Amino acid sequence: VEFLYCDLASMKSIRQFVQQFRAKNCPLHVLVNNAGVMLVPERKTEDGFEEHFGLNYLGHFLLTNLLLDTLKQSGTHSHNARIITVSSATHYVGKLHLNDLQSRCSYSPHGAYAQSKLALVLFTYRLQHLLTANGSHVTANVVDPGVVNTELYKHVFWVVKVVKWMTAWLFFKTPEEGASTTIYAAVSPEVEGAGGCYLYNEERTKSADVAYDEELQRMLWTESCKMVGISDEANRLD
C-alpha cells in the first residue's frame, strides 16, 4: 500500500495530489469519495467555503473531475472504472440552496451537513449522465453506509454522545459493516456497467425525489465548476 497526502478541504492540496498521482502513470480503476465532517460549528476551509459544503462535496467534485481522464483511460468495455461516492440517509431531509450554498444567511450544522450529502447524490447522477453521453467506460454510484460507529459524531450534543456510547453496540454498524456497501460498489460483478444507482445494504434503492431533478443537477454542476475553477464544457455541450 502506498499513501499520497491529500487534504479534501484544500483545492491546492487536491491539485497537488492529482499532479503527484498522474506522475506515477498508474491506471485508476476505483475512486472512493469518502472524506467528510458532520455537524461542525460554522467555519470555513482555506478557500473560504463553508466546511461541510467545501470538504464533503466540493473537494470530491474537484478531485473526481481532475481524475476523470485517468479513469476513462483505465476503464474497458468489460471492466468499467468505478467512482463510488459516500453520501448519507441525511440527504433525504436536505435542501439545496443554490442562492446560498455557503449557508451565509442562516447557518445550521444539521442543514449544512444534509445539503452537502444531497449535493453528492445530485453530483453522482449528473456525472453518470455525462459519462454515458460521452460513451465512457466509467460508472458513478452513490452509497449510503448506514449509521456507523465512528468518530464522525464528535461534534454532536453531549447527551447524544452519551446515548450513542450506551447504544452503539445495538443500533450502530461497526466500521467494517459500514464499509460493506462501498466495497460492494467497488468490486462486485453484480454492478459491473451499472451507474447512477443509490446503494444501501448492498442493494439499489430510491434516493430523495429531489435528487432526480435533472435541471437541479445541471445547475449545481455549473455552479460547482465556477467555485472550484474548472471548465463547464460538458454542460454546455449537453
Side-chain angles (χ1 to χ4, degrees):
V1 177
E2 184 177 353
F3 294 93
L4 293 176
Y5 179 79
C6 182
D7 179 359
L8 269 293
S10 165
M11 302 295 118
K12 179 181 178 181
S13 178
I14 293 168
R15 291 180 183 277
Q16 289 175 338
F17 163 80
V18 171
Q19 190 174 29
Q20 290 177 322
F21 179 79
R22 282 179 172 171
K24 294 180 176 295
N25 291 316
C26 293
L28 179 57
H29 300 106
V30 178
L31 172 64
V32 178
N33 293 320
N34 186 53
V37 293
M38 184 175 77
L39 307 184
V40 296
E42 186 173 10
R43 60 194 187 197
K44 296 179 180 179
T45 67
E46 67 177 47
D47 302 288
F49 300 124
E50 186 277 315
E51 190 168 359
H52 290 99
F53 197 77
L55 194 162
N56 294 4
Y57 170 65
L58 285 178
H60 293 119
F61 178 85
L62 178 61
L63 178 67
T64 302
N65 273 279
L66 294 181
L67 291 172
L68 266 183
D69 284 345
T70 306
L71 285 157
K72 290 175 180 178
Q73 294 164 9
S74 305
T76 65
H77 178 72
S78 57
H79 290 89
N80 281 228
R82 304 185 186 190
I83 301 166
I84 299 95
T85 297
V86 181
S87 181
S88 161
T90 312
H91 92 274
Y92 286 104
V93 298
K95 294 182 179 180
L96 195 76
H97 301 285
L98 275 172
N99 296 323
D100 186 27
L101 291 172
Q102 304 303 320
S103 303
R104 293 190 179 102
C105 293
S106 177
Y107 182 77
S108 158
H110 294 84
Y113 176 70
Q115 176 179 244
S116 71
K117 291 300 177 178
L118 173 58
L120 289 170
V121 184
L122 288 158
F123 156 66
T124 299
Y125 292 165
R126 182 62 187 167
L127 175 59
Q128 183 58 54
H129 173 83
L130 296 173
L131 289 168
T132 301
N134 190 246
S136 304
H137 298 306
V138 183
T139 58
N141 290 304
V142 61
V143 166
D144 175 1
V147 183
V148 187
N149 188 13
T150 68
E151 290 299 308
L152 194 62
Y153 297 85
K154 64 183 179 181
H155 291 289
V156 299
F157 192 54
W158 71 268
V159 173
V160 178
K161 287 184 180 179
V162 172
V163 173
K164 173 181 175 289
W165 178 76
M166 295 174 63
T167 63
W169 64 274
L170 182 61
F171 298 112
F172 285 57
K173 292 182 178 181
T174 64
E176 291 78 12
E177 291 170 338
S180 65
T181 302
T182 300
I183 296 170
Y184 170 81
V187 302
S188 174
E190 294 177 21
V191 289
E192 174 59 46
C197 301
Y198 185 85
L199 302 169
Y200 175 64
N201 284 344
E202 300 182 15
E203 292 184 358
R204 302 178 199 188
T205 187
K206 188 176 181 294
S207 62
D209 290 340
V210 68
Y212 298 103
D213 184 332
E214 294 183 2
E215 183 60 21
L216 187 61
Q217 295 167 14
R218 195 143 75 106
M219 289 191 292
L220 174 63
W221 185 283
T222 296
E223 191 60 30
S224 302
C225 287
K226 293 177 184 176
M227 288 180 168
V228 301
I230 61 174
S231 171
D232 188 23
E233 289 182 9
N235 259 350
R236 287 195 291 270
L237 295 172
D238 186 36

